[in-house]
Amino acid sequence: MYGCIRSLRRSWNLVQQVQKLPSLARCINTTTPFPEFGNMTDLRSHQDLYRFSLTDPQEFWCRLARTRLKWDKDFTTTFDSNLREGKIAWFLDGKLNAAVNCVDRHLPIKGDQVALIWERDEPGTQEYYTYRQLADMVGQIGNVLRNSGVSKGDRVAIYLPMAPITIATMLACARIGAIHSVVFAGFSSDALASRIQDAKAETVVTADQGVRGGKVVELKRAVDDAVSRCPTVKRVFVYQRTEADVPMGKQDILLQKAMNAESPCCEPVSMESEDTLFMLYTSGSTGKPKGITHSTAGYLLYTTTTFKHVFDYKDGEKFGCVADIGWITGHSYALYGPLSNGGTTLLFESTPTYPNPGRYWEMVERLQLNHIYLAPTSLRLLLKSGDSWALNYDLSSLRKLGCVGEPLNHEAWEWYYRVIGKERCDIIDTWWQTETGGICISPRPSTPGAHIEPAMPMRPFFGIDPVLVDHDGQEVTEEDAHGALCIRSIWPGMARTIYGDHKRFIDTYLNPVPGMYYTGDGAHRHPGGALQITGRMDDVLNVSGHRLGSAEVEDVLDDHPAIAESAVVGFPHDVKGEGIFAFVVRKDDAVESEQEIADNLRKKVKKEIASYAQPDQILFTPGLPWTRSGKIMRRILRKVAANETEDLGDVTTLANPSVVAAIVERRAMLQ
Ligand code: WT7
């Protein structure tokens, strides 16, 4: 093992020496504040660089790719893409490995630096993992997977808690060219099963149990249940998080035991730039969740660049993204962004309120975090508990305060800025999506010290050209305007397809406005150009920053024997951002009481999707407002759910207008 690392080190030193020459030349000639663009004299300001990123994206991204990633083989073409044709390809003919870029590359200088801080559920029991320890774990798991038959292009479903083993498993997949498909460990066994089936995964990696907020989560039990319906699965690796005595079946293998038998030296597979690095399921407005796929080179370059520049990450800092790895935020800013930069990243296993609402702030002081990146919903929850939890701790290590997932309202922004940041930290509200791979709109980077407007992400990142579009698909050119948010440029981090359904990818994102990427969000462009995101324009809900299709919940409700039809909409919720309001029509012959049915519906949603998907309100109505063309008029239901029943607008196009009065009447009885 040591021989292998030594020789790796030797070859790295050589690479480093060779790389020193051009970088020295760059230092001497520096005429711009941007090292990657050293000899380009006209790039003097942030504005110049942004403009350049749009006028000459080939040159812009080519320079970044060559300076920021380690290639096995250089690329010949920066991109060959046409959004109208659904063709997206970057860094053609190039070869690289993401795990090498995230781990091996740092070993010569940073082998003993902490790569991962594992903030375990119980406060004060954190563990630290250096780059060298991470490298060994990745190598061993890579060998375990490879020797059990996993090869390039195979899908590996990962259903694990937030832990170093999870990061190492994802990187091990990347190392051997397998595609990881992480399924949030809060999803039910049904949700896990449908994701395993869609990806036709043969391998699952899980844990005996998870621990969150002092409670045990039965992960292995959920996997057993899921796998019993997944004939493709050939092997299940079990990491022992709690060492509970869980039943082990024929295809189950203890992960640590298998790792112990393997060498940490694992030959990485040199991947084509466009080879899939991973897939991740996310909800759409219709149908089942879709497996969004990301490429190796483009995704890695985009996360590495956005991480460095949006948060102004400096070497040696501790970055605390508290999102779970089951979401894209965890992928891009707990793993790939920080590790590709040789940074130190946090893995947060707990909840914002365990054991009390001071958890984040106590952790910031104890671990001396320099950045925290969280969801507005937790800020809203924590600010309700009063300032004293935050004031109890020394938060002076913090430099940048990030957030993502849903609109950050003014009250939460002010609290974050004053109580947490003591008016000395930038608030970085970042807008992006599973599909965009990384941050697309955020107040930074910008001209140093540029004003940050509360409660909006404001400015496009390099290479992002945001456009507002009206109902007819025409660009809205006025400065102060509302519209559907689209992106006219291409950028390396954008998703490449929906696993197994490229047509759906094109129909969802590229066809609505030809030549642009359609985000599904509405936005308000303020005078001066700052962008504020107003929320989804489709039937996607955003519950505590978790994306959920109303159709997914409706499918579960409709399937209940006592339910004839249902419609689910969001309504304003002061902690979750959006709550779930279900209108259900009971079958005439149903015998259970409304209360019994409602309880069963909630249980059913929890079992088939996840607990966060359970409706906050369930209203039994005699019917739903169908239009004559056979669509539910959700506009009306949204108003009823929000209790804005005075002005419901025009209902004359309904097939059954009288149902509206009945729904309003029942809604009034709910309070
Ligand atoms: C949707 C994407 C990207 C990581 C987390 C969510 C909403 C995201 C913001 C923001 C307002 C936001 C959008 C978007 N969203 N960030 N800063 N302000 N809304 O990823 O699950 O793919 O959800 O989250 O509606 O479309 P996701």
Side-chain angles (χ1 to χ4, degrees), residues 537-575:
M537 302 186 76
D538 52 16
D539 298 325
V540 171
L541 311 177
N542 191 333
V543 184
S544 305
H546 299 329
R547 209 161 129 175
L548 186 67
S550 38
E552 275 174 81
V553 184
E554 287 162 8
D555 277 354
V556 178
L557 302 179
D558 291 346
D559 189 43
H560 188 284
I563 297 300
E565 57 182 6
S566 70
V568 165
V569 296
F571 70 100
H573 188 289
D574 59 355
V575 170

Side-chain angles (χ1 to χ4, degrees), residues 227-270:
V227 165
S228 68
R229 282 167 282 150
C230 298
T232 55
V233 173
K234 293 188 177 151
R235 54 196 85 87
V236 176
F237 291 100
V238 183
Y239 161 66
Q240 290 161 286
R241 168 64 183 86
T242 63
E243 313 217 339
D245 193 12
V246 297
M248 294 287 284
K250 270 205 308 289
Q251 50 187 7
D252 300 338
I253 304 158
L254 289 177
L255 181 58
Q256 188 61 52
K257 206 167 149 202
M259 285 167 68
N260 294 346
E262 293 293 347
S263 149
C265 204
C266 170
E267 190 59 33
V269 172
S270 203

Side-chain angles (χ1 to χ4, degrees), residues 282 328-329 403-408 429-435 457 519 521 533 535-536 542 545 547:
T282 191
I328 191 73
T329 310
C403 74
V404 62
E406 31 162 348
L408 176 65
D429 177 358
T430 62
W431 176 90
W432 57 295
Q433 309 175 299
T434 305
E435 296 87 339
T519 69
D521 279 339
I533 309 300
R536 297 291 307 192
N542 191 333
R547 209 161 129 175

